[in-house]
Amino acid sequence: MNAAAIFIAAVAVVLIAVLIKAVKIVRPFQQGLVERLGRYKTTKQPGFNLILPFIERIQLIDMREQVVDVPPQEVITKDNVVVSVDAVVFYEATDPQRLVYNVVDFFVGITKLAQTNLRNLIGDLELDKALTSRDTINTQLREVLDNATDKWGVRVVRVEIQRIDPPSSMVDGLMGLVRHPPSFTSVAARMTSSRLYAVTMITVGGRPSASSVPSARAVSTPSIPGMRQSMNTIW
């Protein structure tokens, strides 16, 4: 009698363990990828689900929007200025099967893609244009990444450039123009000063005012025939 009771208790314990292992709860923001004997079987939706213990396994995939931090990297602009650029990429999974089977490490893959395409986009712009075109860069980079990662079963929601930092030596030098705008007498020098001053204000997050920016138009040009028209064309 005792032996029979022990046997029944052992069977009950085994059945309870099998039942616990067979029951899988998928949360509302997840989908479950089921494999049977190492082969894809089906995708389970949120809620109560059963699988065959020891034969099937389930991998839960988070379908919520997630963020990838693209580390800073040095990029050379069109006018040969080395800047440090970083960004963040927001994405969400759309197909858990492709996300698991089509890429080994999604985070590494999308980070490398973002860095490569960011170098290409910034490299086609001059420094002052890059500083004032963040929305355009964000849009173009999002489109490129979304197309490239479609086969991985994700959708790139948006991309945000965090910083575009010129070299510290350039920032220190240009900050001097903000504190003490120089008084130039030549038209060419004033045009250079105006551009550098505007780049400085954009870099430090300010907005140059019309009265503070040195202006080339304020300088009277020589009265040589055709000279005034030439200088206006250059400006």
Side-chain angles (χ1 to χ4, degrees), residues 111-145:
T111 299
K112 297 302 182 184
L113 275 175
Q115 288 182 320
T116 301
N117 288 280
L118 195 55
R119 283 197 299 268
N120 294 337
L121 293 174
I122 299 295
D124 290 337
L125 301 174
E126 295 183 351
L127 175 60
D128 53 350
K129 186 67 174 177
L131 293 173
T132 57
S133 304
R134 294 196 181 196
D135 291 340
T136 303
I137 298 173
N138 291 340
T139 301
Q140 293 178 349
L141 186 57
R142 190 204 68 80
E143 292 176 352
V144 172
L145 294 180

mmCIF file of all heavy atoms in Angstrom, residues 111-145:
data_model
loop_
_atom_site.group_PDB
_atom_site.id
_atom_site.type_symbol
_atom_site.label_atom_id
_atom_site.label_comp_id
_atom_site.label_asym_id
_atom_site.label_seq_id
_atom_site.Cartn_x
_atom_site.Cartn_y
_atom_site.Cartn_z
ATOM 1 N N THR A 111 23.195 49.732 -35.373
ATOM 2 C CA THR A 111 24.175 50.742 -34.960
ATOM 3 C C THR A 111 25.186 51.002 -36.064
ATOM 4 O O THR A 111 25.501 52.160 -36.384
ATOM 5 C CB THR A 111 24.894 50.302 -33.675
ATOM 6 O OG1 THR A 111 23.936 50.145 -32.624
ATOM 7 C CG2 THR A 111 25.926 51.336 -33.249
ATOM 8 N N LYS A 112 25.707 49.945 -36.666
ATOM 9 C CA LYS A 112 26.677 50.102 -37.752
ATOM 10 C C LYS A 112 26.034 50.760 -38.970
ATOM 11 O O LYS A 112 26.662 51.594 -39.636
ATOM 12 C CB LYS A 112 27.262 48.740 -38.133
ATOM 13 C CG LYS A 112 28.057 48.067 -37.018
ATOM 14 C CD LYS A 112 29.203 48.937 -36.556
ATOM 15 C CE LYS A 112 30.021 48.224 -35.467
ATOM 16 N NZ LYS A 112 31.110 49.112 -34.937
ATOM 17 N N LEU A 113 24.795 50.387 -39.283
ATOM 18 C CA LEU A 113 24.096 51.022 -40.393
ATOM 19 C C LEU A 113 23.917 52.520 -40.154
ATOM 20 O O LEU A 113 24.124 53.343 -41.057
ATOM 21 C CB LEU A 113 22.730 50.370 -40.596
ATOM 22 C CG LEU A 113 22.660 49.115 -41.463
ATOM 23 C CD1 LEU A 113 21.244 48.552 -41.438
ATOM 24 C CD2 LEU A 113 23.072 49.418 -42.894
ATOM 25 N N ALA A 114 23.512 52.882 -38.941
ATOM 26 C CA ALA A 114 23.295 54.292 -38.615
ATOM 27 C C ALA A 114 24.595 55.077 -38.695
ATOM 28 O O ALA A 114 24.629 56.192 -39.237
ATOM 29 C CB ALA A 114 22.683 54.412 -37.218
ATOM 30 N N GLN A 115 25.689 54.523 -38.182
ATOM 31 C CA GLN A 115 26.967 55.222 -38.223
ATOM 32 C C GLN A 115 27.444 55.432 -39.653
ATOM 33 O O GLN A 115 27.898 56.519 -40.022
ATOM 34 C CB GLN A 115 28.024 54.445 -37.429
ATOM 35 C CG GLN A 115 27.830 54.507 -35.929
ATOM 36 C CD GLN A 115 28.922 53.761 -35.184
ATOM 37 O OE1 GLN A 115 29.349 52.687 -35.588
ATOM 38 N NE2 GLN A 115 29.386 54.326 -34.089
ATOM 39 N N THR A 116 27.337 54.400 -40.477
ATOM 40 C CA THR A 116 27.794 54.498 -41.863
ATOM 41 C C THR A 116 27.000 55.540 -42.640
ATOM 42 O O THR A 116 27.576 56.398 -43.331
ATOM 43 C CB THR A 116 27.678 53.136 -42.560
ATOM 44 O OG1 THR A 116 28.461 52.173 -41.848
ATOM 45 C CG2 THR A 116 28.171 53.219 -43.994
ATOM 46 N N ASN A 117 25.687 55.501 -42.552
ATOM 47 C CA ASN A 117 24.865 56.440 -43.307
ATOM 48 C C ASN A 117 24.934 57.854 -42.744
ATOM 49 O O ASN A 117 24.788 58.829 -43.486
ATOM 50 C CB ASN A 117 23.413 55.954 -43.333
ATOM 51 C CG ASN A 117 23.220 54.745 -44.225
ATOM 52 O OD1 ASN A 117 23.131 54.860 -45.442
ATOM 53 N ND2 ASN A 117 23.168 53.555 -43.624
ATOM 54 N N LEU A 118 25.180 57.971 -41.443
ATOM 55 C CA LEU A 118 25.358 59.289 -40.847
ATOM 56 C C LEU A 118 26.628 59.945 -41.380
ATOM 57 O O LEU A 118 26.651 61.151 -41.668
ATOM 58 C CB LEU A 118 25.411 59.166 -39.325
ATOM 59 C CG LEU A 118 25.231 60.442 -38.503
ATOM 60 C CD1 LEU A 118 23.935 61.148 -38.880
ATOM 61 C CD2 LEU A 118 25.248 60.113 -37.015
ATOM 62 N N ARG A 119 27.686 59.159 -41.538
ATOM 63 C CA ARG A 119 28.921 59.695 -42.123
ATOM 64 C C ARG A 119 28.676 60.176 -43.556
ATOM 65 O O ARG A 119 29.182 61.219 -43.966
ATOM 66 C CB ARG A 119 30.024 58.632 -42.107
ATOM 67 C CG ARG A 119 30.668 58.425 -40.761
ATOM 68 C CD ARG A 119 31.988 57.686 -40.892
ATOM 69 N NE ARG A 119 31.814 56.364 -41.472
ATOM 70 C CZ ARG A 119 31.633 55.261 -40.757
ATOM 71 N NH1 ARG A 119 31.577 55.333 -39.452
ATOM 72 N NH2 ARG A 119 31.499 54.088 -41.351
ATOM 73 N N ASN A 120 27.907 59.415 -44.314
ATOM 74 C CA ASN A 120 27.638 59.804 -45.699
ATOM 75 C C ASN A 120 26.834 61.095 -45.778
ATOM 76 O O ASN A 120 27.134 61.970 -46.593
ATOM 77 C CB ASN A 120 26.888 58.673 -46.415
ATOM 78 C CG ASN A 120 27.720 57.420 -46.567
ATOM 79 O OD1 ASN A 120 28.955 57.465 -46.538
ATOM 80 N ND2 ASN A 120 27.066 56.285 -46.718
ATOM 81 N N LEU A 121 25.816 61.227 -44.938
ATOM 82 C CA LEU A 121 24.957 62.409 -44.987
ATOM 83 C C LEU A 121 25.693 63.663 -44.521
ATOM 84 O O LEU A 121 25.626 64.713 -45.174
ATOM 85 C CB LEU A 121 23.708 62.186 -44.129
ATOM 86 C CG LEU A 121 22.728 61.122 -44.624
ATOM 87 C CD1 LEU A 121 21.608 60.897 -43.605
ATOM 88 C CD2 LEU A 121 22.135 61.534 -45.967
ATOM 89 N N ILE A 122 26.414 63.568 -43.407
ATOM 90 C CA ILE A 122 27.154 64.723 -42.894
ATOM 91 C C ILE A 122 28.294 65.079 -43.833
ATOM 92 O O ILE A 122 28.618 66.261 -44.029
ATOM 93 C CB ILE A 122 27.687 64.451 -41.480
ATOM 94 C CG1 ILE A 122 26.522 64.182 -40.510
ATOM 95 C CG2 ILE A 122 28.521 65.622 -40.967
ATOM 96 C CD1 ILE A 122 25.618 65.362 -40.287
ATOM 97 N N GLY A 123 28.906 64.076 -44.441
ATOM 98 C CA GLY A 123 30.033 64.324 -45.334
ATOM 99 C C GLY A 123 29.666 65.083 -46.584
ATOM 100 O O GLY A 123 30.531 65.672 -47.239
ATOM 101 N N ASP A 124 28.388 65.104 -46.945
ATOM 102 C CA ASP A 124 27.936 65.837 -48.130
ATOM 103 C C ASP A 124 27.537 67.268 -47.810
ATOM 104 O O ASP A 124 27.108 68.007 -48.713
ATOM 105 C CB ASP A 124 26.738 65.113 -48.762
ATOM 106 C CG ASP A 124 27.146 63.792 -49.414
ATOM 107 O OD1 ASP A 124 28.330 63.649 -49.768
ATOM 108 O OD2 ASP A 124 26.274 62.914 -49.555
ATOM 109 N N LEU A 125 27.647 67.680 -46.535
ATOM 110 C CA LEU A 125 27.227 69.019 -46.124
ATOM 111 C C LEU A 125 28.400 69.808 -45.564
ATOM 112 O O LEU A 125 29.323 69.235 -44.981
ATOM 113 C CB LEU A 125 26.124 68.932 -45.061
ATOM 114 C CG LEU A 125 24.832 68.196 -45.445
ATOM 115 C CD1 LEU A 125 23.935 68.076 -44.225
ATOM 116 C CD2 LEU A 125 24.122 68.896 -46.582
ATOM 117 N N GLU A 126 28.360 71.119 -45.741
ATOM 118 C CA GLU A 126 29.310 71.983 -45.062
ATOM 119 C C GLU A 126 28.879 72.152 -43.611
ATOM 120 O O GLU A 126 27.746 71.875 -43.245
ATOM 121 C CB GLU A 126 29.389 73.336 -45.771
ATOM 122 C CG GLU A 126 29.952 73.250 -47.185
ATOM 123 C CD GLU A 126 30.087 74.604 -47.843
ATOM 124 O OE1 GLU A 126 29.590 75.593 -47.255
ATOM 125 O OE2 GLU A 126 30.698 74.685 -48.927
ATOM 126 N N LEU A 127 29.817 72.633 -42.778
ATOM 127 C CA LEU A 127 29.571 72.681 -41.336
ATOM 128 C C LEU A 127 28.328 73.491 -40.988
ATOM 129 O O LEU A 127 27.456 73.020 -40.252
ATOM 130 C CB LEU A 127 30.788 73.268 -40.616
ATOM 131 C CG LEU A 127 30.625 73.483 -39.099
ATOM 132 C CD1 LEU A 127 30.328 72.164 -38.400
ATOM 133 C CD2 LEU A 127 31.869 74.139 -38.517
ATOM 134 N N ASP A 128 28.232 74.731 -41.522
ATOM 135 C CA ASP A 128 27.081 75.560 -41.154
ATOM 136 C C ASP A 128 25.775 74.962 -41.647
ATOM 137 O O ASP A 128 24.740 75.063 -40.988
ATOM 138 C CB ASP A 128 27.257 76.987 -41.673
ATOM 139 C CG ASP A 128 27.569 77.019 -43.161
ATOM 140 O OD1 ASP A 128 27.831 75.940 -43.726
ATOM 141 O OD2 ASP A 128 27.568 78.119 -43.753
ATOM 142 N N LYS A 129 25.797 74.287 -42.797
ATOM 143 C CA LYS A 129 24.594 73.632 -43.314
ATOM 144 C C LYS A 129 24.215 72.431 -42.458
ATOM 145 O O LYS A 129 23.025 72.197 -42.187
ATOM 146 C CB LYS A 129 24.837 73.190 -44.764
ATOM 147 C CG LYS A 129 23.603 72.624 -45.456
ATOM 148 C CD LYS A 129 22.547 73.683 -45.655
ATOM 149 C CE LYS A 129 21.390 73.128 -46.487
ATOM 150 N NZ LYS A 129 20.314 74.120 -46.648
ATOM 151 N N ALA A 130 25.214 71.680 -42.013
ATOM 152 C CA ALA A 130 24.936 70.518 -41.168
ATOM 153 C C ALA A 130 24.326 70.937 -39.833
ATOM 154 O O ALA A 130 23.424 70.268 -39.305
ATOM 155 C CB ALA A 130 26.219 69.729 -40.933
ATOM 156 N N LEU A 131 24.789 72.063 -39.290
ATOM 157 C CA LEU A 131 24.286 72.517 -38.007
ATOM 158 C C LEU A 131 22.835 72.990 -38.081
ATOM 159 O O LEU A 131 22.117 72.937 -37.082
ATOM 160 C CB LEU A 131 25.171 73.650 -37.471
ATOM 161 C CG LEU A 131 26.604 73.263 -37.079
ATOM 162 C CD1 LEU A 131 27.415 74.503 -36.743
ATOM 163 C CD2 LEU A 131 26.612 72.287 -35.917
ATOM 164 N N THR A 132 22.414 73.437 -39.253
ATOM 165 C CA THR A 132 21.055 73.982 -39.385
ATOM 166 C C THR A 132 20.110 73.033 -40.117
ATOM 167 O O THR A 132 18.971 73.412 -40.389
ATOM 168 C CB THR A 132 21.107 75.327 -40.145
ATOM 169 O OG1 THR A 132 21.733 75.125 -41.425
ATOM 170 C CG2 THR A 132 21.892 76.361 -39.360
ATOM 171 N N SER A 133 20.544 71.824 -40.430
ATOM 172 C CA SER A 133 19.723 70.897 -41.223
ATOM 173 C C SER A 133 19.459 69.599 -40.485
ATOM 174 O O SER A 133 19.392 68.536 -41.104
ATOM 175 C CB SER A 133 20.411 70.617 -42.568
ATOM 176 O OG SER A 133 20.662 71.788 -43.272
ATOM 177 N N ARG A 134 19.311 69.655 -39.184
ATOM 178 C CA ARG A 134 19.116 68.426 -38.409
ATOM 179 C C ARG A 134 17.818 67.704 -38.784
ATOM 180 O O ARG A 134 17.794 66.478 -38.872
ATOM 181 C CB ARG A 134 19.128 68.732 -36.913
ATOM 182 C CG ARG A 134 20.461 69.224 -36.400
ATOM 183 C CD ARG A 134 20.542 69.139 -34.903
ATOM 184 N NE ARG A 134 21.814 69.629 -34.395
ATOM 185 C CZ ARG A 134 22.278 69.396 -33.178
ATOM 186 N NH1 ARG A 134 21.553 68.658 -32.347
ATOM 187 N NH2 ARG A 134 23.439 69.865 -32.789
ATOM 188 N N ASP A 135 16.756 68.456 -39.008
ATOM 189 C CA ASP A 135 15.489 67.818 -39.369
ATOM 190 C C ASP A 135 15.609 67.071 -40.690
ATOM 191 O O ASP A 135 15.091 65.952 -40.840
ATOM 192 C CB ASP A 135 14.382 68.870 -39.464
ATOM 193 C CG ASP A 135 14.009 69.446 -38.110
ATOM 194 O OD1 ASP A 135 14.323 68.790 -37.091
ATOM 195 O OD2 ASP A 135 13.405 70.538 -38.062
ATOM 196 N N THR A 136 16.298 67.678 -41.651
ATOM 197 C CA THR A 136 16.495 67.018 -42.943
ATOM 198 C C THR A 136 17.340 65.769 -42.795
ATOM 199 O O THR A 136 17.034 64.717 -43.370
ATOM 200 C CB THR A 136 17.165 67.988 -43.936
ATOM 201 O OG1 THR A 136 16.357 69.162 -44.069
ATOM 202 C CG2 THR A 136 17.349 67.333 -45.297
ATOM 203 N N ILE A 137 18.413 65.859 -42.012
ATOM 204 C CA ILE A 137 19.282 64.698 -41.780
ATOM 205 C C ILE A 137 18.514 63.590 -41.074
ATOM 206 O O ILE A 137 18.627 62.411 -41.429
ATOM 207 C CB ILE A 137 20.525 65.109 -40.967
ATOM 208 C CG1 ILE A 137 21.356 66.133 -41.739
ATOM 209 C CG2 ILE A 137 21.376 63.894 -40.628
ATOM 210 C CD1 ILE A 137 22.504 66.716 -40.931
ATOM 211 N N ASN A 138 17.713 63.965 -40.067
ATOM 212 C CA ASN A 138 16.912 62.968 -39.348
ATOM 213 C C ASN A 138 15.970 62.221 -40.292
ATOM 214 O O ASN A 138 15.856 60.988 -40.240
ATOM 215 C CB ASN A 138 16.095 63.655 -38.253
ATOM 216 C CG ASN A 138 16.956 64.186 -37.125
ATOM 217 O OD1 ASN A 138 18.092 63.759 -36.937
ATOM 218 N ND2 ASN A 138 16.432 65.139 -36.392
ATOM 219 N N THR A 139 15.294 62.977 -41.162
ATOM 220 C CA THR A 139 14.332 62.365 -42.078
ATOM 221 C C THR A 139 15.023 61.435 -43.071
ATOM 222 O O THR A 139 14.569 60.310 -43.300
ATOM 223 C CB THR A 139 13.562 63.460 -42.838
ATOM 224 O OG1 THR A 139 12.877 64.298 -41.892
ATOM 225 C CG2 THR A 139 12.546 62.843 -43.788
ATOM 226 N N GLN A 140 16.119 61.901 -43.661
ATOM 227 C CA GLN A 140 16.832 61.082 -44.643
ATOM 228 C C GLN A 140 17.409 59.825 -44.006
ATOM 229 O O GLN A 140 17.334 58.730 -44.585
ATOM 230 C CB GLN A 140 17.942 61.906 -45.293
ATOM 231 C CG GLN A 140 17.437 63.050 -46.162
ATOM 232 C CD GLN A 140 18.570 63.875 -46.749
ATOM 233 O OE1 GLN A 140 19.729 63.742 -46.370
ATOM 234 N NE2 GLN A 140 18.232 64.735 -47.699
ATOM 235 N N LEU A 141 17.971 59.964 -42.806
ATOM 236 C CA LEU A 141 18.551 58.807 -42.133
ATOM 237 C C LEU A 141 17.473 57.805 -41.741
ATOM 238 O O LEU A 141 17.680 56.587 -41.846
ATOM 239 C CB LEU A 141 19.335 59.267 -40.898
ATOM 240 C CG LEU A 141 20.127 58.192 -40.146
ATOM 241 C CD1 LEU A 141 21.123 57.502 -41.072
ATOM 242 C CD2 LEU A 141 20.852 58.802 -38.950
ATOM 243 N N ARG A 142 16.310 58.281 -41.301
ATOM 244 C CA ARG A 142 15.226 57.368 -40.938
ATOM 245 C C ARG A 142 14.767 56.564 -42.154
ATOM 246 O O ARG A 142 14.526 55.354 -42.055
ATOM 247 C CB ARG A 142 14.045 58.155 -40.355
ATOM 248 C CG ARG A 142 12.982 57.268 -39.725
ATOM 249 C CD ARG A 142 11.636 57.945 -39.694
ATOM 250 N NE ARG A 142 11.079 58.120 -41.022
ATOM 251 C CZ ARG A 142 10.467 57.150 -41.698
ATOM 252 N NH1 ARG A 142 10.333 55.933 -41.188
ATOM 253 N NH2 ARG A 142 9.988 57.391 -42.905
ATOM 254 N N GLU A 143 14.636 57.224 -43.300
ATOM 255 C CA GLU A 143 14.198 56.530 -44.511
ATOM 256 C C GLU A 143 15.197 55.460 -44.926
ATOM 257 O O GLU A 143 14.808 54.339 -45.296
ATOM 258 C CB GLU A 143 14.000 57.544 -45.637
ATOM 259 C CG GLU A 143 12.824 58.487 -45.411
ATOM 260 C CD GLU A 143 12.712 59.548 -46.489
ATOM 261 O OE1 GLU A 143 13.644 59.633 -47.332
ATOM 262 O OE2 GLU A 143 11.725 60.305 -46.494
ATOM 263 N N VAL A 144 16.487 55.787 -44.860
ATOM 264 C CA VAL A 144 17.512 54.818 -45.245
ATOM 265 C C VAL A 144 17.499 53.619 -44.306
ATOM 266 O O VAL A 144 17.532 52.452 -44.747
ATOM 267 C CB VAL A 144 18.909 55.486 -45.252
ATOM 268 C CG1 VAL A 144 19.999 54.440 -45.450
ATOM 269 C CG2 VAL A 144 18.990 56.535 -46.351
ATOM 270 N N LEU A 145 17.435 53.869 -42.998
ATOM 271 C CA LEU A 145 17.444 52.778 -42.027
ATOM 272 C C LEU A 145 16.176 51.938 -42.107
ATOM 273 O O LEU A 145 16.228 50.704 -41.969
ATOM 274 C CB LEU A 145 17.610 53.341 -40.610
ATOM 275 C CG LEU A 145 18.943 54.011 -40.286
ATOM 276 C CD1 LEU A 145 18.955 54.523 -38.855
ATOM 277 C CD2 LEU A 145 20.107 53.049 -40.505
#
